[in-house]
Amino acid sequence: MSRPRQFASLLLVSAAGALALTATAPGAAAEPPPTAGVRVAPVGDPVWQPVDVHVFSAPIGTAETGYAEFAETARSLLPPPLHEEHPVLGIGPGEAHDPPYDAELAAGIAAEGYDEGVRFPSTDFSRGMGVWVVWMNVPRGQWTGSSPDFDSGPIVPNTVFPIHVEATATHNGQPFSTLAAFDVPALDSNLGFGDVDGHSHFPIFLADNADFGPEGSKLRGSYHWSVTLTDSTGAGWVLTASFAIAP
């Protein structure tokens, strides 16, 4: 079975007025702390960083449903009114809201009661259920400008976009699936955000299950996801997530 392309999503929030972009040296911001089963390492000196990383099980759907439950789960993590569906982005603009943005996904997971961890039963990895890795990306350093959330504040500037995301999965050390390959775009008028200087924050959602692995493969064992995020300057992050499927 072939994987639907763009089996991932990103969030942009509602637009506000634009001010001139300003910047100072990024500085030595602290690296994000590790989450259970997850490690995050910088490449170069990126002016943005992943935070609020989670590994959990939740519905993604089946081929028969068109994997519609993937979008439903993403909406449940970042619900209205602060976030709304967007025809291009999946989860898109909602009501403007101020930082910090490092606990929005945690709040959504807790509200829905999704199970977090690094060990899941096979029932969480088949028949419409999947393992998810999600995180929020926020400014790192001292770039300031307008965003969809405010006229002036900390941003990931449009000048470092697109940010390219590639993710692959292995099972017991062997190739299992291609999770995603897509670009996170800069904010521009084509996306309906007006003339803003950058993102205040944006999340990424990845999910996988047995449907996307080699046909007939055993579910039990260790899984390792490797995600590279590279911005237009060549800087970025390597995020790895490991978990196990047991009977």
Side-chain angles (χ1 to χ4, degrees):
M1 180 182 298
S2 62
R3 169 178 295 276
R5 303 311 298 165
Q6 295 292 337
F7 199 61
S9 180
L10 57 100
L11 166 75
L12 309 176
V13 289
S14 60
L19 292 179
L21 176 68
T22 62
T24 58
E31 294 178 16
T35 299
V38 174
R39 292 295 180 270
V40 183
V43 176
D45 190 18
V47 297
W48 52 281
Q49 65 179 356
V51 297
D52 199 16
V53 187
H54 300 273
V55 181
F56 61 97
S57 63
I60 64 173
T62 65
E64 288 72 23
T65 65
Y67 300 99
E69 287 86 345
F70 176 87
E72 293 175 6
T73 296
R75 286 194 298 268
S76 75
L77 296 178
L78 296 169
L82 299 184
H83 314 107
E84 301 285 353
E85 289 189 70
H86 186 279
V88 174
L89 303 171
I91 303 294
E95 292 182 2
H97 55 294
D98 293 330
Y101 307 114
D102 57 2
E104 290 187 300
L105 289 168
I109 291 168
E112 293 298 318
Y114 297 137
D115 291 329
E116 291 195 71
V118 293
R119 186 179 179 88
F120 303 95
S122 58
T123 52
D124 280 354
F125 204 61
S126 59
R127 299 182 181 179
M129 291 291 291
V131 171
W132 292 64
V133 177
V134 305
W135 66 92
M136 190 70 73
N137 300 278
V138 299
R140 174 182 185 257
Q142 299 178 14
W143 282 93
T144 61
S146 62
S147 81
D149 283 307
F150 40 69
D151 290 340
S152 182
I155 59 167
V156 185
N158 283 335
T159 53
V160 305
F161 289 88
I163 293 175
H164 185 65
V165 181
E166 288 199 14
T168 58
T170 61
H171 174 216
N172 294 333
Q174 299 299 314
F176 183 75
S177 66
T178 299
L179 289 164
F182 62 94
D183 288 337
V184 180
L187 295 185
D188 58 32
S189 57
N190 292 331
L191 293 179
F193 295 98
D195 185 17
V196 297
D197 298 320
H199 295 256
S200 61
H201 64 304
F202 61 94
I204 291 176
F205 306 88
L206 300 177
D208 205 10
N209 76 359
D211 290 347
F212 303 103
E215 187 174 354
S217 63
K218 303 290 186 180
L219 297 189
R220 184 175 181 177
S222 61
Y223 292 79
H224 182 80
W225 293 8
S226 178
V227 187
T228 59
L229 304 101
T230 308
D231 68 28
S232 65
T233 73
W237 297 86
V238 175
L239 184 151
T240 61
S242 299
F243 59 90
I245 301 296

